[in-house]
Amino acid sequence: MNTRPSFLALVLPMILLQMTSVTWGQALMGCGRTKGCFRQPMECMGDNCMAYVTWETLGDGQSRFSLRAQAAGWVAFGLRPEGSTDNGMVPADVYACTNKGELRRSKNGPGFDSFPNPLPQNALDAVTTESAEFSNGVIRCTFTRQPSLDGDDSFYNISGNNQYFILMAFGSSIRPDGDIQGNQHQNRWSTADTRSLQFDFSPPMSSGEALPKAHASLMVIAWVGFASIGITMARFFKPMWPNSKLCGTKVWFTIHRMCMVTCVLCFSAAFVLIFVHRQGFVDTGERTIVVAHAICGIIVTCLGIINPIMAIFRPHPGTPNRPIFNWAHWGVGTTAHLLGLVTVFLGIGYNSTGLLRGIPDYVFFVMIVFIGFHILIWILFEVQRCMTESQGRSNDVALKATGDSTDHLSPDVDSDPPSDDLVPEGPCISQVTEEGSTAKTILLCIYVVGVIIAVAFLVISIAIAG
């Protein structure tokens, strides 16, 4: 009985987890990378948030702010100066969105005697409302703001290195005319430290993305390309071409070894490149997806290096520890491949969650198509193998014992990999045979072409992203 977990059972939950993230609110996509965010509760996304405010720097120097809260009356955010000695919500430059679809501004002062009012005339050109709405108990609004306003010291200058505490509150106390009633908050929060309101605006195709793009491309080539082909050869092609050799060893073993060695070289180079770019590990305070991608990448790299080391020091065929090695080699390799594909998914992302700027959304779906293609071909390989077994064999090649070791192929066994690499896999026992070789070769060609197309598409998409 085959006790190995199927590829689909292992990778599908991980794919579904990533797909679930695409339902999160787009306003929070890019937090910490292209925009600043303050949200409650922390790390919430979209509809899961009680309230949030985001800010980003536009190409013309203005800043765009987006506010959202599950509130009946109003939601506001404020800027409290870095050098202020007071605590709480004063002094502060405050902007409030109401359930009347209005944007109001005020300066909170001592005694809380100032409350958000309609924008004064001199602020109309400095602050522009882009959208404001109240629906299903949720207030949303978006507006742009100039960095500063001449003649208005309460309109805090957010340009340069100026930093402020970010304040946020919401409530339901609002008069029929839209005025907010006093200091009646349902909830209010303040950041523990000051934050900059400026994010560097630069063209997407900046030189700083050369190393991340090289890293991403090499990881795709390693795990989507060479690892997929190498593992497929080891799983399904051990019985093939029994009388042929390539570079002095069995055909499947030579191809498997070449693919996996190239895979190790690619992901090792990619690992070094990203550490050079980041100058160490990512900041644990960054987006969850960034940290998750980094952790998965380190685990994948460790597993990918451990497996060939295990292969170099594998026990001799026929020894008691050889079956343990066979299962360990399979388990570590399969885990590395699956986690490698998941890590690629996290890096590509969807709906601006990707770790590279400008990755089109359809690239995520191309990865899903590739996974489906991979699973389909493996199912066809399994079906073909079982059909061959059920029909019987006309040209099986006999196995014989050689010396003190277990079975080896005849002749010239010295250069072959150990014969216990021919252990049964799956519900159908596979012996060395050429039966069904034409169908398997055709399937292999289709699979290799599909892998090449997928890798080429992903690498080109990464290269031109911007």
Side-chain angles (χ1 to χ4, degrees), residues 24-261:
W24 293 346
Q26 294 187 21
L28 293 174
M29 300 304 181
C31 284
R33 181 168 59 94
T34 60
K35 64 176 65 174
C37 300
F38 181 40
R39 42 192 164 175
Q40 293 295 325
M42 299 298 292
E43 299 300 325
C44 68
M45 294 297 290
D47 293 342
N48 298 323
C49 294
M50 184 183 300
Y52 67 70
V53 57
T54 70
W55 59 94
E56 57 185 321
T57 304
L58 305 179
D60 59 2
Q62 295 191 80
S63 294
R64 175 181 287 121
F65 296 87
S66 294
L67 275 161
R68 179 192 183 278
Q70 299 175 22
W74 54 273
V75 55
F77 99 97
L79 307 173
R80 182 161 65 86
E82 182 178 17
S84 61
T85 57
D86 293 336
N87 294 321
M89 310 294 281
V90 294
D93 184 9
V94 179
Y95 299 83
C97 300
T98 74
N99 60 8
K100 305 295 183 181
E102 293 181 323
L103 176 65
R104 295 173 172 245
R105 173 183 173 258
S106 73
K107 178 179 179 180
N108 281 359
F112 298 94
D113 54 357
S114 297
F115 307 106
N117 296 307
L119 291 170
Q121 187 61 40
N122 67 337
L124 292 179
D125 294 333
V127 179
T128 303
T129 305
E130 293 188 344
S131 64
E133 63 177 23
F134 174 68
S135 176
N136 298 322
V138 176
I139 298 175
R140 301 179 182 86
C141 73
T142 302
F143 63 94
T144 57
R145 181 191 189 274
Q146 296 283 1
S148 61
L149 182 62
D150 292 338
D152 188 346
D153 293 336
S154 66
F155 193 93
Y156 293 149
N157 187 343
I158 62 174
S159 63
N161 296 322
N162 295 332
Q163 295 193 355
Y164 300 89
F165 291 97
I166 308 299
L167 315 176
M168 186 167 58
F170 68 81
S172 58
S173 54
I174 189 169
R175 297 189 179 97
D177 61 2
D179 289 342
I180 295 175
Q181 287 184 277
N183 183 36
Q184 299 181 25
H185 309 90
Q186 285 182 267
N187 288 282
R188 65 180 184 178
W189 306 271
S190 173
T191 56
D193 53 7
T194 57
R195 301 186 185 184
S196 171
L197 277 294
Q198 295 293 309
F199 276 78
D200 292 335
F201 178 84
S202 58
M205 290 295 291
S206 61
S207 59
E209 292 190 352
L211 291 182
K213 287 185 175 183
H215 163 83
S217 298
L218 286 170
M219 284 299 190
V220 167
I221 292 171
W223 296 110
V224 178
F226 287 107
S228 298
I229 295 174
I231 292 175
T232 299
M233 292 299 301
R235 181 171 180 83
F236 297 106
F237 286 84
K238 291 175 183 178
M240 290 286 290
W241 310 299
N243 299 319
S244 301
K245 291 187 177 182
L246 181 63
C247 299
T249 59
K250 299 171 187 174
V251 174
W252 76 265
F253 183 76
T254 299
I255 297 175
H256 171 75
R257 181 170 55 188
M258 291 173 61
C259 286
M260 301 319 294
V261 168

Side-chain angles (χ1 to χ4, degrees), residues 256-314:
H256 171 75
R257 181 170 55 188
M258 291 173 61
C259 286
M260 301 319 294
V261 168
T262 307
C263 174
V264 171
L265 294 176
C266 287
F267 73 66
S268 297
F271 186 80
V272 172
L273 288 178
I274 201 62
F275 263 80
V276 170
H277 173 73
R278 299 289 307 213
Q279 297 181 347
F281 190 69
V282 298
D283 186 348
T284 55
E286 293 194 46
R287 291 182 300 154
T288 301
I289 194 171
V290 175
V291 179
H293 177 82
I295 293 174
C296 289
I298 290 176
I299 295 174
V300 166
T301 301
C302 291
L303 293 176
I305 292 175
I306 289 172
N307 219 29
I309 293 176
M310 290 170 53
I312 293 174
F313 296 100
R314 62 184 178 269

Side-chain angles (χ1 to χ4, degrees), residues 264-453:
V264 171
L265 294 176
C266 287
F267 73 66
S268 297
F271 186 80
V272 172
L273 288 178
I274 201 62
F275 263 80
V276 170
H277 173 73
R278 299 289 307 213
Q279 297 181 347
F281 190 69
V282 298
D283 186 348
T284 55
E286 293 194 46
R287 291 182 300 154
T288 301
I289 194 171
V290 175
V291 179
H293 177 82
I295 293 174
C296 289
I298 290 176
I299 295 174
V300 166
T301 301
C302 291
L303 293 176
I305 292 175
I306 289 172
N307 219 29
I309 293 176
M310 290 170 53
I312 293 174
F313 296 100
R314 62 184 178 269
H316 192 274
T319 60
N321 292 330
R322 183 65 184 210
I324 299 176
F325 161 77
N326 288 339
W327 280 101
H329 187 64
W330 173 86
V332 172
T334 301
T335 301
H337 187 223
L338 295 176
L339 192 56
L341 294 177
V342 171
T343 306
V344 171
F345 264 110
L346 293 174
I348 291 174
Y350 178 78
N351 212 356
S352 302
T353 63
L355 305 187
L356 282 175
R357 295 185 186 181
I359 294 291
D361 290 344
Y362 56 75
V363 176
F364 177 81
F365 293 103
V366 170
M367 271 297 296
I368 293 179
V369 170
F370 169 76
I371 296 297
F373 170 75
H374 179 93
I375 294 171
L376 175 63
I377 294 295
W378 273 37
I379 291 174
L380 293 177
F381 276 134
E382 292 285 1
V383 170
Q384 189 277 337
R385 181 166 62 182
C386 291
M387 290 179 62
T388 299
E389 293 293 339
S390 66
Q391 294 172 2
R393 300 274 179 69
S394 60
N395 58 350
D396 285 355
V397 179
L399 302 178
K400 73 174 185 177
T402 304
D404 295 330
S405 64
T406 54
D407 295 338
H408 285 256
L409 288 179
S410 175
D412 193 16
V413 297
D414 293 339
S415 60
D416 285 340
S419 63
D420 62 343
D421 286 333
L422 296 172
V423 293
E425 293 190 43
C428 306
I429 297 177
S430 297
Q431 299 178 9
V432 178
T433 181
E434 292 182 342
E435 193 77 35
S437 61
T438 301
K440 290 185 72 172
T441 302
I442 292 174
L443 275 178
L444 178 63
C445 291
I446 294 173
Y447 180 72
V448 171
V449 170
V451 170
I452 292 174
I453 292 174

